[in-house]
């Protein structure tokens, strides 16, 4: 079975002016067929996220008219704009809305669902989205709508901003993408106001970003990131935040948006596999955005010189939001507007710089978590996640059911490139159940086609094995398919085990259950509100590759050697000399030398035969 959301890399989509004009022409044709006598452009099946959607289609029609001057469009824009202003602007408090700070303000807002009190929690982001749709229409209004309609729309947009920043708590869902989107709305609105009022709105927007978003960034993998629904990063909403940062920088020119976008982009580049697979986040563990991410990935990919467009988006939303029948929906339409307006082109080459939390070369990549334990290994077109044993998650030696991968002190890293090989040595101090401090040295070496992982640790009393990953997914054309196996070989014994118990806390990769589904099943709160990452941490056991130690190693060490990407057997040895520990395989010779004067590990590497 295929994963539902992760499909083709976003930079594979044509983004020429001609391609975008074809997209807008299709939207216009659908909209003109759909337009009701009262001016409604909403999809007939739209229920949630509805308050801004007709206006979103209006903004796309306005952009299409700017580019083509299609004579059919001005009347549709005026009628649909009139519909939104008449039918979708609410001024009476929504019953049950919990985030008001001023009741009965009379300020306009947009509803997540139209029925009063039905689902009011989504009104804050829906109003952000309506504000963004409104300012996009205002940007295209000259020569398209009359002065009275433009004035009414401007007053409504001003009211949206006031409701978001004066009548409610700011960012009540603690969602970075929504909060930065609100700031962008203020920055864009300011350009349509008088100089004095525009400066006040701009200053307020910048202050909100500085005080309510930037000051509350969360550190993960060495980067400070805008918090997303209580976590540092979400693989669906994180790239959307990147798009909002791109637009904020485009609109304001403020350097802090560029700095924060660069940091988020470098973080994303490090955690994203070379094939574009990613999972994890406080809301959606596998769900991916698509067109909503294009602006940020393209804009900041060019700025940092990385191929962020390899991110696998949801191709069903490749150009704009759609419903189940494929019909256009106006949700998030501003992102399509902005990506069409932005002239940045995709940067398609990988970044040449080494990143602490990434090893990448050719078709092989390893994304490391905060503890410098692999979060995802990619080799041979397959993706392996951290496995679980006895409620412990990661990659590393296991002895008597205890996983040695949680650092008890500073983790040291050394990156080396030589003879067409790319390597990373990770040294961790760890403590076992016996309270003995040991050093786990994990060497990752790749030639761009396969990955060798060699792990050395002071000798353990029992018979240990290396927890070497959970085979989970593999490339299948422009889709990602579930799997329960991967091409892996070991210089010691190798076995693939599956949990004996059943249930979502015992994840069997052979079952028709995705990681996302299991994670939400283990989360404390309902799907859409719970934290799947928190739920996944309750995993007791999983399908796992388990590799035994190699025979040819020093008596005081256990050494493991695994190769990802091919199944053919290979040999590995480890010997201690005056200069350190030498690891030999049929592909390379690595010397793990003594620590330098600063305690950093030494590593030299050469291809076998050199």
């Amino acid at each position: 079975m295929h994963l539902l959301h992760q499909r083709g890399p976003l930079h594979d989509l044509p983004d020429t002016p001609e391609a975008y004009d074809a997209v807008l022409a299709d939207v216009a044709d659908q909209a003109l067929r759909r337009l009701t006598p009262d001016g409604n452009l909403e999809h007939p099946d739209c229920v949630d996220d509805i308050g801004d959607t007709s206006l979103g289609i209006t903004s796309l029609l306005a952009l299409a008219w700017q580019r083509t001057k299609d004579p059919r469009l001005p009347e549709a824009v005026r009628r649909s704009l009139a519909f939104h202003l008449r039918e979708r602007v609410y001024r009476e408090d929504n019953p049950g809305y919990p985030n008001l700070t001023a009741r009965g303000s009379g300020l306009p807002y947009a509803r997540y669902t139209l029925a009063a009190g039905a689902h009011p929690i989504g009104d804050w982001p829906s109003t952000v989205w309506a504000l963004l749709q409104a300012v996009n229409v205002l940007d295209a209004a000259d020569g398209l709508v009359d002065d009275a309609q433009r004035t009414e729309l401007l007053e409504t947009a001003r009211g949206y901003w006031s409701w978001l920043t004066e009548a409610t708590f700011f960012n009540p869902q603690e969602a970075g993408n929504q909060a930065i989107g609100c700031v962008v709305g203020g920055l864009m609105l300011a350009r349509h106001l008088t100089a004095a009022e525009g400066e006040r709105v701009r200053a307020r927007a910048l202050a909100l970003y500085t005080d309510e978003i930037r000051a509350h960034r969360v550190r993960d993998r060495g980067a400070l990131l805008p918090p997303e629904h209580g976590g540092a990063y979400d693989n669906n909403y994180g790239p959307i935040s990147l798009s909002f940062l791109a637009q904020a920088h485009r609109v304001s020119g403020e350097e802090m948006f560029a700095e924060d976008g660069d940091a988020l982009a470098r973080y994303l580049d490090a955690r994203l596999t070379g094939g574009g697979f990613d999972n994890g986040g406080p809301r959606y563990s596998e769900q991916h955005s698509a067109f909503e991410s294009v602006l940020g990935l393209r804009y900041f990919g060019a700025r940092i010189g990385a191929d962020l467009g390899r991110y696998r988006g949801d191709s069903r939303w490749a150009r704009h939001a759609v419903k189940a029948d494929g019909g256009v929906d106006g949700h998030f339409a501003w992102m399509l507007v902005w990506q069409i307006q932005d002239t940045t082109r995709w940067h398609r080459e990988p970044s040449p710089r080494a990143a602490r939390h990434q090893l990448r070369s050719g078709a092989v990549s390893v994304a490391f978590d905060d503890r410098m334990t692999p979060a995802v290994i990619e080799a041979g077109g397959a993706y392996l996640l951290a496995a679980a044993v006895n409620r412990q998650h990661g990659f590393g030696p296991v002895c008597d059911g205890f996983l040695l991968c949680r650092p008890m002190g500073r983790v040291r890293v050394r990156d080396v490139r030589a003879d067409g090989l790319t390597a990373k040595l990770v040294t961790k101090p760890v403590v076992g159940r016996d309270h003995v401090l040991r050093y786990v040295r994990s060497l990752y070496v790749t030639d761009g086609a396969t990955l060798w992982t060699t792990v050395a640790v002071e000798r353990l009393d029992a018979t240990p094995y290396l927890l070497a990953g959970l085979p989970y997914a593999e490339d299948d054309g422009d889709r990602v398919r579930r799997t329960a196996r991967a091409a892996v070989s070991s210089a010691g014994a190798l076995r693939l085990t599956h949990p004996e118990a059943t249930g979502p806390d015992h994840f069997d990769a052979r079952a028709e259950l995705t990681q996302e589904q299991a994670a939400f099943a283990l989360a404390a709160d309902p799907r859409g509100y719970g934290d799947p990452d928190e739920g996944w941490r309750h995993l007791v056991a999983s399908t796992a590759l388990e590799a035994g130690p190699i025979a040819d190693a020093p008596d005081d060490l256990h050494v493991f050697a695994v190769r990802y990407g091919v199944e053919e057997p290979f040999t590995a040895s480890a010997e201690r000399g005056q200069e350190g520990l030498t690891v030999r395989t049929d592909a390379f010779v690595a010397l793990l030398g003594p620590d330098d004067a600063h305690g950093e590990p030494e590593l030299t590497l050469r291809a076998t035969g050199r």
Side-chain angles (χ1 to χ4, degrees), residues 459 491-492 549-555 557-561 571-576 581-584:
R459 195 164 190 87
I550 65 174
D552 193 359
D555 292 340
L557 293 178
H558 272 123
V559 178
F560 309 87
T571 59
S573 65
E575 59 182 346
R576 193 193 308 279
L581 181 68
T582 299
V583 175
R584 301 180 186 274

Side-chain angles (χ1 to χ4, degrees), residues 21 24-33 35 41 57-81 143-145 149:
D21 283 337
L24 290 174
D26 176 62
V27 170
D29 287 343
Q30 289 192 51
L32 292 172
R33 292 194 301 269
L35 186 65
L41 285 172
I57 300 294
T58 303
S59 73
L60 293 174
L61 297 181
L63 178 63
W65 181 81
Q66 271 192 326
R67 293 168 68 89
T68 67
K69 293 300 186 288
D70 185 335
R72 303 174 300 167
L73 300 181
E75 179 62 22
V77 168
R78 294 164 193 149
R79 285 173 55 193
S80 59
L81 179 55
L144 187 58
V145 301
Q149 204 173 37

Side-chain angles (χ1 to χ4, degrees), residues 221-453:
R221 308 187 195 190
L224 283 173
L225 309 172
E228 187 54 65
H229 286 287
Y233 176 85
D234 185 283
N235 67 339
N236 182 32
Y237 293 119
I240 296 175
S241 286
L242 194 64
S243 287
F244 281 129
L245 287 169
Q247 183 66 2
H249 186 239
R250 292 180 67 236
V251 172
S252 71
E254 291 288 335
E255 192 60 24
M256 64 179 174
F257 297 120
E259 292 172 357
D260 294 354
D262 287 350
L264 176 54
R266 290 192 178 98
Y267 167 89
L268 193 154
D269 184 39
R271 72 170 287 147
L272 193 63
T273 60
F277 174 87
D278 186 23
N279 75 301
R283 284 292 292 271
Y284 292 107
S285 194
E286 287 178 354
Q287 181 168 322
H288 271 42
S289 52
F291 80 96
E292 315 100 305
S293 303
V294 166
L295 174 65
L297 296 172
R298 198 172 64 193
Y299 190 83
F300 285 106
R303 279 185 57 91
I304 70 169
D307 57 335
L308 298 185
R310 68 185 188 275
Y311 177 92
R312 286 184 180 268
D314 188 338
S315 58
R316 296 169 301 180
W317 281 38
R319 297 301 195 179
H320 46 67
V322 297
K323 290 301 183 185
D325 64 357
V328 63
D329 180 15
H331 189 46
F332 272 47
W334 65 86
M335 287 295 193
L336 177 56
V337 172
W338 299 341
Q339 66 170 273
I340 292 175
Q341 293 171 336
D342 180 51
T343 58
T344 306
R345 300 277 69 86
W346 286 112
H347 183 98
R348 289 186 167 85
E349 297 298 320
S351 172
R353 59 187 282 274
R356 178 179 174 89
H357 294 88
Q358 177 195 59
L359 175 72
R360 184 182 174 201
S361 176
V364 171
S365 61
V366 185
F368 296 87
D369 65 14
D370 239 355
R371 305 178 305 182
M372 286 305 298
T373 296
V376 184
I377 287 178
E378 173 196 18
Y383 303 96
L384 296 94
L385 308 181
V389 57
N390 292 341
R391 302 182 188 275
Q392 304 161 94
H393 301 194
F395 291 74
V398 177
C399 185
D400 285 336
F402 189 84
L403 173 60
L404 294 165
C405 77
R406 294 171 296 282
M408 186 62 67
R410 175 67 69 178
V411 179
R412 311 282 186 151
V413 177
R414 177 75 75 180
D415 287 283
V416 170
R417 291 180 179 175
D419 296 343
L421 302 171
T422 304
K424 186 183 294 286
L425 174 62
V426 177
T427 304
K428 291 183 185 181
V430 300
V431 175
R433 294 196 193 280
D434 56 7
H435 291 218
V436 174
L437 181 70
R438 294 177 173 86
Y439 283 87
V440 175
R441 287 177 289 178
S442 302
L443 174 65
Y444 305 88
V445 180
T446 180
D447 59 2
T450 57
L451 171 72
W452 291 264
T453 299

Side-chain angles (χ1 to χ4, degrees), residues 12-327:
D12 287 351
L13 292 168
D15 62 351
T16 62
E18 295 77 15
Y20 281 132
D21 283 337
V23 172
L24 290 174
D26 176 62
V27 170
D29 287 343
Q30 289 192 51
L32 292 172
R33 292 194 301 269
R34 180 186 300 169
L35 186 65
T36 64
D38 62 355
N40 189 351
L41 285 172
E42 293 161 359
H43 191 284
D45 294 338
C46 192
V47 176
D48 295 342
D49 273 317
I50 192 173
D52 67 299
T53 61
S54 181
L55 189 60
I57 300 294
T58 303
S59 73
L60 293 174
L61 297 181
L63 178 63
W65 181 81
Q66 271 192 326
R67 293 168 68 89
T68 67
K69 293 300 186 288
D70 185 335
R72 303 174 300 167
L73 300 181
E75 179 62 22
V77 168
R78 294 164 193 149
R79 285 173 55 193
S80 59
L81 179 55
F83 167 81
H84 178 84
L85 295 171
R86 183 179 66 250
E87 302 291 343
R88 294 295 180 259
V89 177
Y90 293 84
R91 294 181 180 274
E92 294 182 356
D93 295 349
N94 198 350
Y97 185 68
N99 299 314
L100 291 175
T101 58
R103 297 196 176 276
S105 68
L107 290 169
Y109 68 94
R111 286 186 176 175
Y112 178 75
T113 58
L114 300 182
H119 191 58
I121 196 69
D123 288 356
W124 201 85
S126 288
T127 304
V128 174
W129 308 157
L131 171 61
L132 294 171
Q133 314 284 26
V135 292
N136 276 338
V137 175
L138 287 169
D139 284 350
D142 289 345
L144 187 58
V145 301
D146 60 34
D147 290 344
Q149 204 173 37
R150 183 189 182 281
T151 298
E152 186 178 0
L153 178 60
L154 179 58
E155 289 301 312
T156 301
R158 181 191 279 119
Y160 285 153
W161 171 254
S162 297
W163 187 85
L164 291 165
T165 59
E166 299 170 16
T168 69
F169 290 102
F170 182 78
N171 190 21
Q173 295 185 23
E174 297 183 354
N177 75 99
Q178 298 173 10
I180 305 171
C182 182
V183 168
V184 171
L187 294 172
M188 296 183 70
L189 172 66
R191 302 185 302 181
H192 293 280
L193 303 174
T194 63
E197 185 181 6
E199 185 52 39
R200 287 194 298 272
V201 170
R202 176 186 168 90
R204 175 66 170 148
L206 295 176
L208 285 169
Y209 183 78
T210 301
D211 300 339
E212 301 295 336
I213 303 171
R214 203 176 201 215
H216 297 280
R217 286 176 296 171
V218 180
R219 186 175 296 278
D220 185 47
R221 308 187 195 190
L224 283 173
L225 309 172
E228 187 54 65
H229 286 287
Y233 176 85
D234 185 283
N235 67 339
N236 182 32
Y237 293 119
I240 296 175
S241 286
L242 194 64
S243 287
F244 281 129
L245 287 169
Q247 183 66 2
H249 186 239
R250 292 180 67 236
V251 172
S252 71
E254 291 288 335
E255 192 60 24
M256 64 179 174
F257 297 120
E259 292 172 357
D260 294 354
D262 287 350
L264 176 54
R266 290 192 178 98
Y267 167 89
L268 193 154
D269 184 39
R271 72 170 287 147
L272 193 63
T273 60
F277 174 87
D278 186 23
N279 75 301
R283 284 292 292 271
Y284 292 107
S285 194
E286 287 178 354
Q287 181 168 322
H288 271 42
S289 52
F291 80 96
E292 315 100 305
S293 303
V294 166
L295 174 65
L297 296 172
R298 198 172 64 193
Y299 190 83
F300 285 106
R303 279 185 57 91
I304 70 169
D307 57 335
L308 298 185
R310 68 185 188 275
Y311 177 92
R312 286 184 180 268
D314 188 338
S315 58
R316 296 169 301 180
W317 281 38
R319 297 301 195 179
H320 46 67
V322 297
K323 290 301 183 185
D325 64 357

